[in-house]
Amino acid sequence: MISFEYSQEQKEIREMAMKFAKNEMQPNAAKYDESGEFPTDIMKKAWELGLLNTCIPAEYGGTGFTTVDSVIISECLSYGCMGMNTGMMANDLALLPIVIGGSDEQKKKFLTPFTEEFKIASFCLTEPGNGSDAGGIKTTIKDGGDHYIVNGQKMWITNAGFADLFVLYGTSDPELRHKGISAIVIDPKSEGIELGAPEKKMGHKCSDTRAVTFNNVKVPKENMLGNPGDGWKIAMKTLDHSRPLVAASAVGGAQCALDHTIEYAKERKQFNIPISGHQAVQFMVANMAMKTEAARLLVTKAAWLLDQGQSNTQLASYAKAFAADSCMEICTDAVQVFGGYGYSKEYPVEKLMRDAKLIQIYEGTSQIQRLVIAKEIFTRS
Ligand code: CAA
């Protein structure tokens, strides 16, 4: 049975999340873009409404949202501001490895506090020398007797400066590549952790992004998720879950650019008529609308497959690549329709174009998604 209709509950979630995006996020998006300040107050309000940490199962105090519910929320929050939503989604990205690979005891210990209090988390996978080639990470997790010892540097870590919890991937021996990788929960206040300065970025300016260095950091043995060497599978399954959320964020950004463009095209007059009367503009807007809806359908299917307990690796990559690439095109075309005004910070589409770029890069570039798709087609199916 196929239905393209959201349930009554999903319609209500969407309405609530969109109201929050329009009332709390959108009016503040330019301000935070300008200041680069971390939007703690807005994230906290989202948490109070139950819009954060949507991956936490109900038995650990979470809302028990499905993956489809979560992508609906991600799209709406990104409609409000792609940059703020990056920080919000990064919490799920960091908590998912615990949901996927943690024991019951670890889930109670690490997930439940996020449902009781507003807290921030970071997913520490990428390194200065290993982004796309995640299997080649060099950070080590060595057995130190009654604890593990972590050494190495992580890069581009979202939320790092504000995090209450890190999930870190490291290896017992880099030569083993993915077979040596483990995942471990680390308290960011542990001795030996050094935070880099916030990165100066093109967009997503209010999202806190830093390098984090680990110097002989002692971590309790009970913080390892699964067994030593389970980290790679946990990371890949996490990305299968999180890529639809990121793809949904691209849909939210695209829908926002589309809505601004339609409104502007109806008002702006050239050659004595609104520019919406010119076929050149109509065709651009038609393409923008078509791609936004196509991306939303892919995102929904990638999320729905997970909710059915099915593998979604290929669909998650279709959704991530298509939605991110479409969002970039749509935001670029939005600037084009706005003309000179679009290039100015006075109008919102300039920020949308800068923010869209990152979605083609993080959580696996658009090229890596195509690599995953090709591997699924040629070697795994
Ligand atoms: N689920 C389960 N297992 C999987 C899997 C999946 N989705 N994908 C791969 N595997 C398994 C394979 O079956 C294989 O297992 P065996 O050894 O048993 O055969 C193993 O993993 C290795 O797979 P590959 O040979 O495909 O590995 P690779 O090294 O050639 O490439 C890759 C893997 C897909 C390119 C991976 O490195 C990747 O996803 N890279 C991108 C990294 C990424 O997305 N980083 C994002 C960082 S987080 C971030 O950006 C957050 C932020 O800022 C907000």
Side-chain angles (χ1 to χ4, degrees):
M1 169 92 165
I2 291 179
S3 168
F4 289 101
E5 177 131 22
Y6 291 139
S7 67
Q8 186 54 33
E9 196 191 343
Q10 285 167 336
K11 283 180 191 163
E12 284 163 17
I13 293 170
R14 188 178 169 83
E15 197 184 325
M16 192 249 286
M18 206 46 143
K19 196 168 155 202
F20 180 77
K22 286 184 175 168
N23 295 345
E24 304 284 344
M25 297 173 78
Q26 247 180 1
N28 291 304
K31 183 184 90 182
Y32 281 97
D33 181 58
E34 195 65 33
S35 69
E37 192 194 330
F38 191 69
T40 309
D41 54 343
I42 292 177
M43 285 176 71
K44 189 156 185 257
K45 279 186 194 166
W47 176 81
E48 283 161 1
L49 288 171
L51 298 172
L52 245 59
N53 313 325
T54 57
C55 69
I56 301 182
E59 64 233 75
Y60 301 102
T63 45
F65 283 145
T66 64
T67 318
V68 171
D69 299 338
S70 301
V71 296
I72 292 171
I73 292 171
S74 179
E75 179 189 327
C76 295
L77 298 180
S78 189
Y79 186 97
C81 176
M82 282 187 258
M84 289 182 201
N85 191 38
T86 287
M88 297 177 181
M89 281 189 304
N91 257 31
D92 271 315
L93 177 64
L95 299 179
L96 275 165
I98 304 170
V99 175
I100 290 165
S103 64
D104 182 51
E105 202 179 318
Q106 288 171 327
K107 287 177 191 174
K108 279 186 192 133
K109 182 172 174 192
F110 297 123
L111 298 177
T112 306
F114 278 76
T115 69
E116 293 167 343
E117 241 183 286
F118 169 64
K119 284 178 176 289
I120 304 278
S122 292
F123 178 86
C124 306
L125 173 64
T126 303
E127 299 184 355
N130 288 84
S132 291
D133 182 14
I137 55 170
K138 311 283 184 299
T139 294
T140 53
I141 301 178
K142 298 274 187 190
D143 197 328
D146 61 349
H147 55 264
Y148 288 108
I149 302 173
V150 176
N151 276 292
Q153 194 180 41
K154 295 293 174 181
M155 187 77 193
W156 308 118
I157 304 306
T158 304
N159 287 347
F162 296 83
D164 301 291
L165 177 150
F166 288 156
V167 168
L168 174 133
Y169 297 87
T171 175
S172 56
D173 176 1
E175 294 291 313
L176 295 172
R177 286 192 56 88
H178 62 276
K179 291 190 169 33
I181 294 175
S182 302
I184 199 161
V185 178
I186 302 185
D187 178 351
K189 288 191 229 58
S190 309
E191 206 177 314
I193 296 180
E194 208 181 299
L195 293 177
E199 298 292 339
K200 293 182 179 148
K201 308 182 297 296
M202 175 194 283
H204 295 241
K205 289 187 186 243
C206 67
S207 151
D208 185 76
T209 318
R210 302 174 194 239
V212 187
T213 308
F214 297 82
N215 290 310
N216 291 317
V217 177
K218 282 187 182 176
V219 186
K221 283 225 154 148
E222 62 266 24
N223 284 19
M224 179 154 294
L225 301 175
N227 295 311
D230 285 350
W232 178 256
K233 290 269 155 118
I234 293 173
M236 290 299 108
K237 286 186 183 155
T238 294
L239 292 170
D240 287 346
H241 275 75
S242 66
R243 283 175 180 157
L245 294 179
V246 180
S249 136
V251 175
Q255 185 68 55
C256 183
L258 174 63
D259 288 352
H260 283 304
T261 305
I262 293 169
E263 196 185 330
Y264 183 80
K266 285 183 190 164
E267 279 169 15
R268 171 78 172 163
K269 285 191 176 148
Q270 290 293 282
F271 305 102
N272 298 321
I273 58 163
I275 60 171
S276 58
H278 295 298
Q279 199 179 54
V281 171
Q282 289 172 355
F283 279 15
M284 285 170 90
V285 172
N287 277 328
M288 290 161 82
M290 195 162 52
K291 286 189 176 166
T292 304
E293 185 61 13
R296 185 177 289 117
L297 291 172
L298 277 177
V299 167
T300 310
K301 183 163 183 197
W304 175 86
L305 281 171
L306 275 183
D307 290 339
Q308 305 310 304
Q310 294 180 41
S311 166
N312 75 334
T313 304
Q314 197 165 333
L315 256 294
S317 286
Y318 286 176
K320 168 71 168 66
F322 186 80
D325 293 350
S326 299
C327 179
M328 187 71 246
E329 281 174 38
I330 289 162
C331 293
T332 307
D333 281 353
V335 170
Q336 191 69 19
V337 172
F338 274 70
Y341 294 109
Y343 204 64
S344 148
K345 280 186 185 286
E346 264 180 59
Y347 288 83
V349 290
E350 176 268 349
K351 173 183 180 294
L352 291 173
M353 186 175 161
R354 283 186 286 107
D355 285 349
K357 188 64 214 167
L358 186 57
I359 306 186
Q360 291 182 296
I361 297 171
Y362 66 20
E363 288 197 40
T365 62
S366 292
Q367 290 68 34
I368 285 293
Q369 305 311 326
R370 287 170 172 84
L371 192 112
V372 171
I373 294 164
K375 276 194 197 219
E376 291 292 315
I377 291 172
F378 290 114
T379 61
R380 300 209 176 106
S381 47

